[in-house]
Amino acid sequence: QVQLVESGGGLVQPGGSLRLSCAASGMFFSNYAMAWYRQAPGKQRELVASITSGGSTNYADSVKGRFTISRANAKNTVYLQMNSLKPEDTAVYYCNADTPRWPWGQGTQVTVSS
């Protein structure tokens, strides 16, 4: 059974940084392109960043240049380094495959506020 566990969120001031982690289990992690998604209150879940099994990355325009996705296949973990955070980045962040195929985890709350 596939399990995704996100962590690393919190409250941060505008301009601050956070590093999110997603620990995956129950599948052959290195075979899959992975992604981070976010859902703000009252909005649909959106794709933030993705990374292929080979390490190629793509980003939503809204986070390009500020966020960096990476992965550690030996640890079955995908990361999201978030810099220069803005209030509009406030959301619950989730990971999944680049085309979502597994049950969603609980997510991790990111709040950007002064």
Side-chain angles (χ1 to χ4, degrees), residues 23-67:
S25 60
M27 81 298 229
F28 196 60
F29 179 80
S30 60
N31 274 5
Y32 293 96
M34 296 295 295
W36 283 96
Y37 302 80
R38 67 185 180 188
Q39 187 167 21
K43 295 187 176 182
Q44 288 191 331
R45 191 172 290 161
E46 63 175 351
L47 178 67
V48 174
S50 63
I51 184 167
T52 68
S53 56
S56 297
T57 58
N58 275 292
Y59 299 91
D61 288 343
S62 59
V63 306
K64 204 170 291 185
R66 300 187 298 120
F67 290 11

Tab-separated table of all heavy atoms in Angstrom, residues 23-67:
chain	number	residue	atom	x	y	z
A	23	ALA	N	8.080	11.682	2.383
A	23	ALA	CA	8.582	10.312	2.466
A	23	ALA	C	7.559	9.378	1.850
A	23	ALA	O	6.391	9.367	2.256
A	23	ALA	CB	8.861	9.947	3.915
A	24	ALA	N	7.991	8.608	0.875
A	24	ALA	CA	7.109	7.694	0.159
A	24	ALA	C	7.456	6.252	0.493
A	24	ALA	O	8.626	5.915	0.705
A	24	ALA	CB	7.222	7.930	-1.342
A	25	SER	N	6.439	5.401	0.520
A	25	SER	CA	6.662	3.979	0.756
A	25	SER	C	5.609	3.191	-0.003
A	25	SER	O	4.554	3.716	-0.372
A	25	SER	CB	6.611	3.659	2.252
A	25	SER	OG	5.349	4.000	2.791
A	26	GLY	N	5.929	1.924	-0.245
A	26	GLY	CA	4.962	1.047	-0.891
A	26	GLY	C	5.043	0.998	-2.393
A	26	GLY	O	4.185	0.373	-3.034
A	27	MET	N	6.038	1.675	-2.961
A	27	MET	CA	6.227	1.572	-4.412
A	27	MET	C	7.718	1.698	-4.717
A	27	MET	O	8.515	2.039	-3.840
A	27	MET	CB	5.431	2.658	-5.149
A	27	MET	CG	6.065	4.055	-5.206
A	27	MET	SD	6.313	4.825	-3.612
A	27	MET	CE	5.601	6.405	-3.914
A	28	PHE	N	8.081	1.384	-5.966
A	28	PHE	CA	9.474	1.495	-6.366
A	28	PHE	C	9.716	2.948	-6.743
A	28	PHE	O	9.588	3.350	-7.892
A	28	PHE	CB	9.774	0.554	-7.524
A	28	PHE	CG	11.238	0.322	-7.733
A	28	PHE	CD1	12.014	-0.237	-6.737
A	28	PHE	CD2	11.848	0.662	-8.922
A	28	PHE	CE1	13.381	-0.454	-6.922
A	28	PHE	CE2	13.193	0.457	-9.122
A	28	PHE	CZ	13.967	-0.102	-8.123
A	29	PHE	N	10.074	3.745	-5.737
A	29	PHE	CA	10.102	5.202	-5.807
A	29	PHE	C	10.876	5.721	-7.012
A	29	PHE	O	10.413	6.618	-7.723
A	29	PHE	CB	10.703	5.741	-4.504
A	29	PHE	CG	10.810	7.234	-4.435
A	29	PHE	CD1	9.710	8.022	-4.120
A	29	PHE	CD2	12.034	7.865	-4.666
A	29	PHE	CE1	9.810	9.398	-4.040
A	29	PHE	CE2	12.146	9.248	-4.589
A	29	PHE	CZ	11.030	10.010	-4.275
A	30	SER	N	12.047	5.172	-7.267
A	30	SER	CA	12.920	5.743	-8.289
A	30	SER	C	12.342	5.596	-9.698
A	30	SER	O	12.826	6.221	-10.631
A	30	SER	CB	14.307	5.126	-8.209
A	30	SER	OG	14.240	3.738	-8.413
A	31	ASN	N	11.301	4.781	-9.846
A	31	ASN	CA	10.685	4.594	-11.162
A	31	ASN	C	9.763	5.737	-11.570
A	31	ASN	O	9.417	5.857	-12.748
A	31	ASN	CB	9.857	3.306	-11.173
A	31	ASN	CG	10.692	2.092	-11.499
A	31	ASN	OD1	11.903	2.176	-11.637
A	31	ASN	ND2	10.031	0.945	-11.600
A	32	TYR	N	9.363	6.558	-10.584
A	32	TYR	CA	8.274	7.507	-10.814
A	32	TYR	C	8.733	8.955	-10.826
A	32	TYR	O	9.562	9.373	-10.005
A	32	TYR	CB	7.211	7.338	-9.738
A	32	TYR	CG	6.493	6.013	-9.805
A	32	TYR	CD1	6.898	4.950	-9.008
A	32	TYR	CD2	5.425	5.833	-10.672
A	32	TYR	CE1	6.252	3.729	-9.090
A	32	TYR	CE2	4.770	4.620	-10.745
A	32	TYR	CZ	5.187	3.564	-9.956
A	32	TYR	OH	4.551	2.366	-10.035
A	33	ALA	N	8.146	9.719	-11.758
A	33	ALA	CA	8.233	11.174	-11.659
A	33	ALA	C	7.342	11.619	-10.502
A	33	ALA	O	6.230	11.125	-10.353
A	33	ALA	CB	7.777	11.821	-12.959
A	34	MET	N	7.852	12.530	-9.703
A	34	MET	CA	7.151	12.986	-8.510
A	34	MET	C	6.846	14.473	-8.617
A	34	MET	O	7.462	15.203	-9.402
A	34	MET	CB	7.991	12.721	-7.263
A	34	MET	CG	8.240	11.254	-6.981
A	34	MET	SD	6.741	10.344	-6.576
A	34	MET	CE	6.269	11.128	-5.023
A	35	ALA	N	5.905	14.917	-7.804
A	35	ALA	CA	5.508	16.325	-7.873
A	35	ALA	C	5.018	16.811	-6.524
A	35	ALA	O	4.591	16.022	-5.680
A	35	ALA	CB	4.417	16.521	-8.921
A	36	TRP	N	5.097	18.111	-6.367
A	36	TRP	CA	4.473	18.807	-5.244
A	36	TRP	C	3.262	19.575	-5.758
A	36	TRP	O	3.314	20.192	-6.844
A	36	TRP	CB	5.451	19.775	-4.586
A	36	TRP	CG	6.441	19.099	-3.702
A	36	TRP	CD1	7.713	18.706	-4.018
A	36	TRP	CD2	6.245	18.751	-2.327
A	36	TRP	NE1	8.306	18.129	-2.926
A	36	TRP	CE2	7.440	18.138	-1.882
A	36	TRP	CE3	5.186	18.886	-1.421
A	36	TRP	CZ2	7.600	17.667	-0.567
A	36	TRP	CZ3	5.346	18.423	-0.130
A	36	TRP	CH2	6.537	17.826	0.286
A	37	TYR	N	2.212	19.531	-4.958
A	37	TYR	CA	0.981	20.241	-5.245
A	37	TYR	C	0.645	21.106	-4.028
A	37	TYR	O	1.149	20.883	-2.936
A	37	TYR	CB	-0.176	19.257	-5.475
A	37	TYR	CG	0.066	18.282	-6.595
A	37	TYR	CD1	0.847	17.150	-6.401
A	37	TYR	CD2	-0.503	18.477	-7.850
A	37	TYR	CE1	1.075	16.241	-7.434
A	37	TYR	CE2	-0.285	17.576	-8.880
A	37	TYR	CZ	0.502	16.461	-8.654
A	37	TYR	OH	0.717	15.572	-9.688
A	38	ARG	N	-0.254	22.058	-4.235
A	38	ARG	CA	-0.734	22.836	-3.090
A	38	ARG	C	-2.198	23.189	-3.293
A	38	ARG	O	-2.690	23.275	-4.417
A	38	ARG	CB	0.103	24.095	-2.882
A	38	ARG	CG	-0.022	25.151	-3.979
A	38	ARG	CD	0.959	26.291	-3.709
A	38	ARG	NE	0.878	27.330	-4.739
A	38	ARG	CZ	1.721	28.346	-4.819
A	38	ARG	NH1	2.709	28.481	-3.941
A	38	ARG	NH2	1.572	29.246	-5.772
A	39	GLN	N	-2.863	23.376	-2.168
A	39	GLN	CA	-4.273	23.764	-2.190
A	39	GLN	C	-4.499	24.863	-1.163
A	39	GLN	O	-4.328	24.631	0.043
A	39	GLN	CB	-5.179	22.576	-1.917
A	39	GLN	CG	-6.652	22.897	-2.090
A	39	GLN	CD	-7.516	21.649	-2.132
A	39	GLN	OE1	-7.139	20.576	-1.674
A	39	GLN	NE2	-8.713	21.782	-2.703
A	40	ALA	N	-4.846	26.026	-1.655
A	40	ALA	CA	-5.165	27.159	-0.795
A	40	ALA	C	-6.651	27.127	-0.456
A	40	ALA	O	-7.449	26.531	-1.199
A	40	ALA	CB	-4.802	28.468	-1.483
A	41	PRO	N	-7.036	27.757	0.637
A	41	PRO	CA	-8.456	27.768	1.022
A	41	PRO	C	-9.348	28.286	-0.101
A	41	PRO	O	-9.079	29.336	-0.695
A	41	PRO	CB	-8.479	28.705	2.230
A	41	PRO	CG	-7.109	28.631	2.795
A	41	PRO	CD	-6.197	28.461	1.617
A	42	GLY	N	-10.385	27.513	-0.421
A	42	GLY	CA	-11.334	27.933	-1.446
A	42	GLY	C	-10.864	27.773	-2.869
A	42	GLY	O	-11.550	28.192	-3.802
A	43	LYS	N	-9.692	27.162	-3.048
A	43	LYS	CA	-9.147	26.996	-4.401
A	43	LYS	C	-8.904	25.522	-4.701
A	43	LYS	O	-8.812	24.695	-3.803
A	43	LYS	CB	-7.844	27.783	-4.551
A	43	LYS	CG	-8.023	29.297	-4.442
A	43	LYS	CD	-6.739	30.011	-4.773
A	43	LYS	CE	-6.925	31.525	-4.752
A	43	LYS	NZ	-5.674	32.251	-5.114
A	44	GLN	N	-8.762	25.230	-5.990
A	44	GLN	CA	-8.454	23.868	-6.387
A	44	GLN	C	-6.972	23.560	-6.155
A	44	GLN	O	-6.123	24.460	-6.131
A	44	GLN	CB	-8.787	23.668	-7.870
A	44	GLN	CG	-10.272	23.634	-8.166
A	44	GLN	CD	-10.572	23.166	-9.572
A	44	GLN	OE1	-9.761	23.356	-10.482
A	44	GLN	NE2	-11.729	22.542	-9.759
A	45	ARG	N	-6.695	22.283	-5.985
A	45	ARG	CA	-5.309	21.843	-5.867
A	45	ARG	C	-4.583	22.123	-7.181
A	45	ARG	O	-5.128	21.885	-8.261
A	45	ARG	CB	-5.270	20.365	-5.542
A	45	ARG	CG	-3.917	19.822	-5.138
A	45	ARG	CD	-4.071	18.383	-4.649
A	45	ARG	NE	-4.755	18.324	-3.367
A	45	ARG	CZ	-5.342	17.247	-2.881
A	45	ARG	NH1	-5.352	16.124	-3.590
A	45	ARG	NH2	-5.936	17.268	-1.715
A	46	GLU	N	-3.350	22.628	-7.063
A	46	GLU	CA	-2.573	22.959	-8.255
A	46	GLU	C	-1.185	22.357	-8.185
A	46	GLU	O	-0.620	22.165	-7.104
A	46	GLU	CB	-2.455	24.486	-8.423
A	46	GLU	CG	-1.716	25.183	-7.308
A	46	GLU	CD	-1.505	26.664	-7.570
A	46	GLU	OE1	-1.784	27.129	-8.700
A	46	GLU	OE2	-1.054	27.362	-6.659
A	47	LEU	N	-0.628	22.079	-9.346
A	47	LEU	CA	0.726	21.550	-9.442
A	47	LEU	C	1.712	22.690	-9.226
A	47	LEU	O	1.606	23.746	-9.839
A	47	LEU	CB	0.942	20.921	-10.816
A	47	LEU	CG	2.318	20.365	-11.124
A	47	LEU	CD1	2.627	19.153	-10.255
A	47	LEU	CD2	2.408	19.976	-12.597
A	48	VAL	N	2.689	22.451	-8.372
A	48	VAL	CA	3.704	23.455	-8.060
A	48	VAL	C	5.011	23.153	-8.775
A	48	VAL	O	5.618	24.029	-9.395
A	48	VAL	CB	3.944	23.515	-6.536
A	48	VAL	CG1	5.104	24.450	-6.202
A	48	VAL	CG2	2.673	23.943	-5.813
A	49	ALA	N	5.458	21.900	-8.685
A	49	ALA	CA	6.738	21.512	-9.266
A	49	ALA	C	6.755	20.009	-9.465
A	49	ALA	O	6.108	19.276	-8.728
A	49	ALA	CB	7.896	21.923	-8.356
A	50	SER	N	7.524	19.564	-10.461
A	50	SER	CA	7.659	18.132	-10.703
A	50	SER	C	9.107	17.796	-11.021
A	50	SER	O	9.883	18.667	-11.449
A	50	SER	CB	6.754	17.692	-11.846
A	50	SER	OG	7.125	18.326	-13.054
A	51	ILE	N	9.445	16.529	-10.808
A	51	ILE	CA	10.798	16.054	-11.084
A	51	ILE	C	10.700	14.646	-11.638
A	51	ILE	O	10.014	13.797	-11.083
A	51	ILE	CB	11.676	16.129	-9.816
A	51	ILE	CG1	13.118	15.726	-10.125
A	51	ILE	CG2	11.097	15.306	-8.668
A	51	ILE	CD1	14.096	16.079	-9.002
A	52	THR	N	11.395	14.393	-12.743
A	52	THR	CA	11.368	13.067	-13.341
A	52	THR	C	12.278	12.114	-12.576
A	52	THR	O	13.054	12.528	-11.710
A	52	THR	CB	11.812	13.126	-14.805
A	52	THR	OG1	13.214	13.475	-14.840
A	52	THR	CG2	11.016	14.145	-15.597
A	53	SER	N	12.222	10.852	-12.941
A	53	SER	CA	13.099	9.877	-12.308
A	53	SER	C	14.561	10.203	-12.590
A	53	SER	O	15.446	9.888	-11.789
A	53	SER	CB	12.762	8.466	-12.783
A	53	SER	OG	12.825	8.393	-14.199
A	54	GLY	N	14.825	10.877	-13.695
A	54	GLY	CA	16.188	11.254	-14.047
A	54	GLY	C	16.628	12.606	-13.507
A	54	GLY	O	17.778	13.002	-13.703
A	55	GLY	N	15.709	13.321	-12.850
A	55	GLY	CA	16.083	14.578	-12.214
A	55	GLY	C	15.721	15.839	-12.980
A	55	GLY	O	16.032	16.949	-12.525
A	56	SER	N	15.041	15.737	-14.110
A	56	SER	CA	14.593	16.930	-14.826
A	56	SER	C	13.417	17.544	-14.086
A	56	SER	O	12.555	16.827	-13.586
A	56	SER	CB	14.186	16.573	-16.253
A	56	SER	OG	15.285	16.084	-16.977
A	57	THR	N	13.399	18.871	-14.046
A	57	THR	CA	12.396	19.562	-13.228
A	57	THR	C	11.554	20.521	-14.055
A	57	THR	O	11.972	21.008	-15.100
A	57	THR	CB	13.075	20.354	-12.099
A	57	THR	OG1	14.001	21.293	-12.676
A	57	THR	CG2	13.825	19.422	-11.165
A	58	ASN	N	10.350	20.768	-13.540
A	58	ASN	CA	9.455	21.776	-14.099
A	58	ASN	C	8.755	22.483	-12.956
A	58	ASN	O	8.513	21.876	-11.905
A	58	ASN	CB	8.422	21.146	-15.036
A	58	ASN	CG	8.952	20.970	-16.435
A	58	ASN	OD1	9.196	21.935	-17.154
A	58	ASN	ND2	9.152	19.726	-16.827
A	59	TYR	N	8.433	23.764	-13.190
A	59	TYR	CA	7.829	24.580	-12.141
A	59	TYR	C	6.646	25.380	-12.679
A	59	TYR	O	6.639	25.801	-13.842
A	59	TYR	CB	8.857	25.556	-11.568
A	59	TYR	CG	10.041	24.878	-10.931
A	59	TYR	CD1	11.186	24.588	-11.669
A	59	TYR	CD2	9.991	24.499	-9.599
A	59	TYR	CE1	12.272	23.944	-11.090
A	59	TYR	CE2	11.064	23.854	-9.006
A	59	TYR	CZ	12.202	23.580	-9.764
A	59	TYR	OH	13.266	22.935	-9.176
A	60	ALA	N	5.681	25.613	-11.814
A	60	ALA	CA	4.625	26.570	-12.129
A	60	ALA	C	5.254	27.954	-12.231
A	60	ALA	O	6.221	28.266	-11.523
A	60	ALA	CB	3.566	26.555	-11.038
A	61	ASP	N	4.715	28.773	-13.105
A	61	ASP	CA	5.276	30.119	-13.293
A	61	ASP	C	5.306	30.910	-11.992
A	61	ASP	O	6.218	31.709	-11.763
A	61	ASP	CB	4.461	30.881	-14.342
A	61	ASP	CG	4.692	30.368	-15.753
A	61	ASP	OD1	5.692	29.655	-15.974
A	61	ASP	OD2	3.862	30.671	-16.626
A	62	SER	N	4.339	30.663	-11.139
A	62	SER	CA	4.224	31.439	-9.904
A	62	SER	C	5.348	31.164	-8.908
A	62	SER	O	5.568	31.967	-7.992
A	62	SER	CB	2.880	31.168	-9.231
A	62	SER	OG	2.739	29.791	-8.938
A	63	VAL	N	6.068	30.060	-9.081
A	63	VAL	CA	7.126	29.721	-8.123
A	63	VAL	C	8.493	29.630	-8.775
A	63	VAL	O	9.500	29.434	-8.081
A	63	VAL	CB	6.814	28.391	-7.391
A	63	VAL	CG1	5.436	28.437	-6.759
A	63	VAL	CG2	6.964	27.191	-8.305
A	64	LYS	N	8.546	29.784	-10.083
A	64	LYS	CA	9.808	29.645	-10.806
A	64	LYS	C	10.831	30.648	-10.279
A	64	LYS	O	10.514	31.828	-10.104
A	64	LYS	CB	9.550	29.848	-12.296
A	64	LYS	CG	10.562	29.199	-13.209
A	64	LYS	CD	10.086	29.242	-14.655
A	64	LYS	CE	8.902	28.340	-14.890
A	64	LYS	NZ	8.494	28.288	-16.315
A	65	GLY	N	12.029	30.158	-10.012
A	65	GLY	CA	13.081	31.015	-9.500
A	65	GLY	C	13.103	31.132	-7.990
A	65	GLY	O	14.054	31.657	-7.415
A	66	ARG	N	12.039	30.662	-7.329
A	66	ARG	CA	11.967	30.734	-5.862
A	66	ARG	C	11.966	29.353	-5.222
A	66	ARG	O	12.488	29.180	-4.109
A	66	ARG	CB	10.696	31.482	-5.439
A	66	ARG	CG	10.621	32.896	-5.948
A	66	ARG	CD	9.423	33.642	-5.346
A	66	ARG	NE	8.135	33.043	-5.692
A	66	ARG	CZ	7.260	32.569	-4.805
A	66	ARG	NH1	7.524	32.629	-3.503
A	66	ARG	NH2	6.110	32.063	-5.216
A	67	PHE	N	11.363	28.367	-5.879
A	67	PHE	CA	11.248	27.011	-5.338
A	67	PHE	C	12.174	26.074	-6.105
A	67	PHE	O	12.381	26.233	-7.311
A	67	PHE	CB	9.819	26.495	-5.469
A	67	PHE	CG	8.800	27.160	-4.576
A	67	PHE	CD1	9.087	28.311	-3.856
A	67	PHE	CD2	7.527	26.622	-4.459
A	67	PHE	CE1	8.150	28.912	-3.040
A	67	PHE	CE2	6.565	27.211	-3.650
A	67	PHE	CZ	6.879	28.358	-2.949
